[in-house]
């Protein structure tokens, strides 16, 4: 007792003296001098205790102070750079919780047909690419929109006119169909006599039975297997291009949605070079056919790819395909195909066993599920894993979530499964009005992308782009989630207005919730002292503009660990 009292007195004296020393130093040199102070900004911290601030001080890549201007001044020293934000907005760096940066980046160097809305535009883009790249043995690329062509069926004759001299292979935007020319069909030996491969379909001319130029699902492989494999250099260049784009949109953390060893090697190489400009959590592809035997291999892969910014702790399982091509697994049949409700890619028993074993091995499970049946089976599998292994801080998640049966909506909150939405898809474009609603009917279509319902029922939402399937810009997705209208529609009714969410909810989805989903919420995801300085500066305050203008706002600066990875700091004033 005595001894403790004595120690307390000594301790108190030490504290007193330290405070005295620190107070004397103040005014000259702060205890921790800031490298950078951003001041006079609209800083939205995403931290409950202090949602708004005007200044943030950074030292050694970390946030050391958030608050008012005079508070930040205490960290100002001779070498501190001070930047007047002039009211610009600051947010935590964005998290894209589902993207394909390596393969998408490779596509950037190929013939890019994304976001072209007419045949004429698509034809012109193919012709231009072929002319600019005489050195390419194959004309390869993709992104053409299915609704542009009658029955989503472009022809080989159309492509022959654009690329007469070489084989050409162009993926549809959803990746489930390919458009090829006569040269490619000849090389693959596909004729009127070639049967459809299992799980695929060769579109044919009605009169002759000859292949017409579009290949569906596994039939794509008949041609794609002939294309020379992408090299490691092409992967590296692709990832660098994708990261530059991501950083320009303010993204500082990414969940790679589907990684094999080649893709992981690409991340690891950039990480080693110090040029991986985002924190990456990779999802390792799991082949359901290989069953439990592959789990020791997954564990070895996880161990192998631990880097400064790289981790491979997610395991990716595909439960189904997509609604437009009737490959999503539904609880009730497609309206235009009596009796057909799509087939899950993994059978329920096998999925439960697989999920249980992967959970037990300490992985986070990342499931692709689009149809209401696939989503229910995914929730069932996670529930089975929890029952068998006991609760664990796993943070499993399901991505895409296009059609959720209302009875399953509360299960996200109940099971602690994060709903990883691609909110940019949640407005009535041609995919919805022409290819989805007609085959689901109005009753089911009410439950397309039920983001608001998941939030109201206690589920956590995160946001991902699924780039290169759709735009990587988080502000595009945030705008659609808060308007449920096309980006260019300044006014009008929201589609399924009960599913609207507000701006703070969406900013959280792309920041702190993304950080939580990658087990990084103590490091990043909000602007708080002690966290990494992963920050972005936006030219306008998102809370002060009409929602329809959110997608036009530019990110002018992106910092990762306090380092400028996109944009440049405005000229600062140095101390006095
Ligand atoms: Zn994806």
């Amino acid at each position: 007792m005595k001894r403790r009292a004595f120690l307390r007195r000594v301790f108190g004296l030490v504290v007193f003296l330290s405070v005295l020393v620190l107070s004397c130093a103040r005014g000259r040199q702060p205890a921790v001098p800031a490298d950078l102070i951003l001041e006079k900004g609209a800083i939205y911290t995403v931290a409950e205790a202090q949602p708004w601030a005007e200044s943030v001080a950074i030292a050694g890549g970390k946030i050391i102070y958030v608050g008012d201007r005079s508070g930040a001044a205490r960290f100002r020293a001779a070498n501190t750079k001070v930047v007047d934000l002039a009211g610009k907005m600051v947010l935590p760096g964005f998290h894209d919780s589902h993207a394909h940066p390596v393969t998408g980046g490779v596509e950037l160097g190929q013939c890019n047909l994304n976001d072209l809305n007419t045949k004429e535009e698509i034809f012109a883009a193919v012709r231009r690419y072929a002319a600019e790249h005489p050195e390419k043995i194959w004309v390869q690329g993709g992104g053409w929109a299915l609704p542009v062509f009658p029955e989503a069926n472009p022809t080989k004759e159309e492509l022959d006119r654009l690329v007469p001299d070489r084989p050409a292979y162009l993926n549809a935007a959803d990746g489930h169909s390919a458009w090829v020319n006569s040269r490619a069909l000849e090389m693959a030996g596909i004729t009127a006599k070639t049967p459809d491969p299992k799980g695929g379909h060769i579109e044919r001319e009605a009169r002759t039975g000859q292949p017409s130029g579009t290949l569906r699902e596994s039939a794509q492989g008949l041609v794609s297997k002939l294309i020379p494999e992408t090299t490691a250099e092409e992967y590296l260049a692709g990832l660098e291009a994708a990261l530059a784009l991501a950083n320009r949109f303010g993204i500082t953390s990414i969940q790679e949605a589907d990684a094999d060893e080649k893709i992981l090697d690409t991340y690891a190489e950039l990480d080693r070079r110090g040029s991986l400009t985002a924190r990456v959590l990779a999802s390792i592809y799991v082949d359901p056919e290989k069953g439990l035997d592959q789990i020791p291999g997954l564990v070895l892969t996880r161990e192998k790819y631990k880097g400064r910014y790289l981790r491979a702790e997610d395991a990716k399982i595909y439960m189904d395909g997509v609604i437009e091509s009737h490959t999503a697994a539904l609880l009730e049949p497609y309206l235009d195909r009596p009796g057909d409700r799509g087939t899950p890619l993994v059978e329920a028993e096998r999925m439960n066993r697989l999920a249980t074993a992967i959970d037990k091995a300490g992985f986070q499970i990342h499931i692709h599920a689009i149809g209401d049946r696939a989503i229910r089976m995914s929730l069932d599998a996670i529930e089975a894993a929890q029952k068998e292994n006991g609760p664990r801080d796993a943070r499993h998640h399901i991505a895409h979530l296009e059609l959720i049966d209302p009875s399953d909506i509360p299960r996200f909150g109940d099971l602690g499964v994060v709903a990883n939405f691609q909110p940019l898809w949640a407005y009535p474009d041609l995919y919805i009005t022409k290819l989805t609603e007609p085959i689901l009917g109005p009753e089911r279509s009410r439950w397309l992308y039920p983001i608001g319902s998941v939030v109201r029922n206690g589920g956590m939402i995160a946001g991902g782009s699924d780039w290169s399937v759709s735009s990587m810009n988080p502000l595009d997705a945030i705008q659609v989630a808060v308007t449920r209208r096309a980006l260019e529609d300044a006014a009008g009714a929201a589609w399924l207005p009960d599913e609207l969410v507000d701006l703070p909810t969406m900013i959280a989805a792309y920041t702190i919730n993304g950080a939580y989903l990658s087990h990084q919420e103590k490091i990043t995801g909000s602007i708080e002292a002690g966290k990494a300085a992963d920050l972005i500066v936006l030219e306008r305050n998102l809370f002060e503009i009409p929602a329809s203008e959110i997608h036009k706002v530019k990110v002018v600066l992106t910092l990762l660990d306090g380092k400028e990875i996109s944009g440049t700091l405005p000229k600062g004033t140095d101390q006095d």
Side-chain angles (χ1 to χ4, degrees), residues 98 100 400 466:
H98 184 112
H100 303 269
H400 306 325
D466 205 12

Side-chain angles (χ1 to χ4, degrees), residues 113 122 138-146 149 151-159 168-182 184-185 188 190 199-204 211-225 227 325:
L113 306 175
I122 290 173
W138 280 75
V139 168
Q140 198 192 340
W144 53 272
L146 296 165
F149 296 94
E151 273 144 46
N153 218 346
T155 67
K156 62 177 191 275
E157 287 80 11
E158 288 166 319
L159 192 49
Y169 178 93
L170 300 166
N171 263 313
D174 70 355
H176 293 261
S177 297
W179 176 25
V180 296
N181 65 0
S182 296
L185 288 165
I190 302 173
H201 178 59
I202 301 165
E203 294 291 346
R204 297 167 198 273
S212 64
T214 305
L215 307 171
R216 310 274 184 218
E217 305 288 346
S218 73
Q220 298 171 88
L222 300 173
V223 172
S224 67
K225 70 177 182 203
I227 302 172
S325 51

Side-chain angles (χ1 to χ4, degrees), residues 128-401:
R128 190 176 337 113
Y129 181 86
E132 283 171 3
H133 295 277
E135 81 289 356
K136 301 262 184 199
I137 298 165
W138 280 75
V139 168
Q140 198 192 340
W144 53 272
L146 296 165
V148 169
F149 296 94
E151 273 144 46
N153 218 346
T155 67
K156 62 177 191 275
E157 287 80 11
E158 288 166 319
L159 192 49
D160 288 346
R161 281 194 287 277
L162 307 169
V163 188
D165 56 333
R166 290 166 276 178
Y169 178 93
L170 300 166
N171 263 313
D174 70 355
H176 293 261
S177 297
W179 176 25
V180 296
N181 65 0
S182 296
R183 254 322 238 294
L185 288 165
E186 271 162 37
M187 284 174 69
I190 302 173
T191 66
K193 294 199 190 91
T194 311
D196 280 352
K198 186 170 177 269
H201 178 59
I202 301 165
E203 294 291 346
R204 297 167 198 273
E205 291 163 0
R207 199 170 46 80
T208 61
Q210 290 290 343
S212 64
T214 305
L215 307 171
R216 310 274 184 218
E217 305 288 346
S218 73
Q220 298 171 88
L222 300 173
V223 172
S224 67
K225 70 177 182 203
L226 304 172
I227 302 172
E229 254 193 73
T230 311
T231 64
E233 286 68 34
E234 286 169 323
Y235 268 150
L236 283 167
L239 178 55
E240 281 181 316
L243 286 169
L245 192 63
N247 298 154
R248 211 159 69 223
F249 289 138
I251 296 167
T252 52
S253 294
I254 299 174
Q255 283 222 27
E256 158 63 60
D258 186 348
D260 58 14
E261 292 256 338
K262 265 181 84 176
I263 286 176
L264 289 167
D265 282 337
T266 312
Y267 285 110
E269 178 58 28
L270 285 197
D271 202 17
R272 258 194 302 275
R273 293 182 192 175
S275 48
L276 188 59
T277 55
R279 302 176 197 277
V280 175
L281 171 58
S283 309
I284 312 170
Y285 173 73
V286 175
D287 182 353
E289 294 298 315
K290 290 188 185 153
L292 307 189
D293 293 348
Q294 68 195 309
I295 289 171
L298 296 176
V299 172
L300 287 176
T301 304
R302 180 176 63 196
E303 292 309 309
K304 183 175 166 192
Y305 294 99
K306 274 193 164 80
R308 177 170 182 218
Y309 283 139
L310 175 64
R311 294 177 300 135
E313 296 169 1
D314 248 12
K316 174 72 177 291
I317 306 173
Y318 287 84
M319 268 317 293
D320 65 346
V322 295
I323 292 177
E324 303 90 81
S325 51
H326 301 83
T327 49
L330 303 181
L331 292 165
E332 299 297 331
Y334 290 96
L335 292 186
D336 59 335
R337 298 206 180 158
D340 179 4
R341 50 191 193 125
T343 312
L345 296 171
V346 197
E347 172 262 324
E349 246 326 287
R350 179 185 275 266
M351 179 63 185
N352 293 356
R353 273 200 309 274
L354 193 58
T356 302
I358 290 173
D359 175 73
K360 194 167 187 185
F363 281 97
Q364 221 178 321
I365 307 173
H366 179 171
I367 305 175
H368 165 122
I370 282 185
D372 49 8
R373 185 164 162 228
I375 293 166
R376 179 171 296 172
M377 289 172 68
S378 304
L379 291 163
D380 289 348
I382 291 167
E383 193 171 2
Q386 289 178 355
K387 279 212 177 94
E388 179 69 27
N389 301 333
R392 174 173 92 72
D393 187 17
R395 309 183 191 183
H396 301 311
H397 52 132
I398 306 176
H400 306 325
L401 302 168

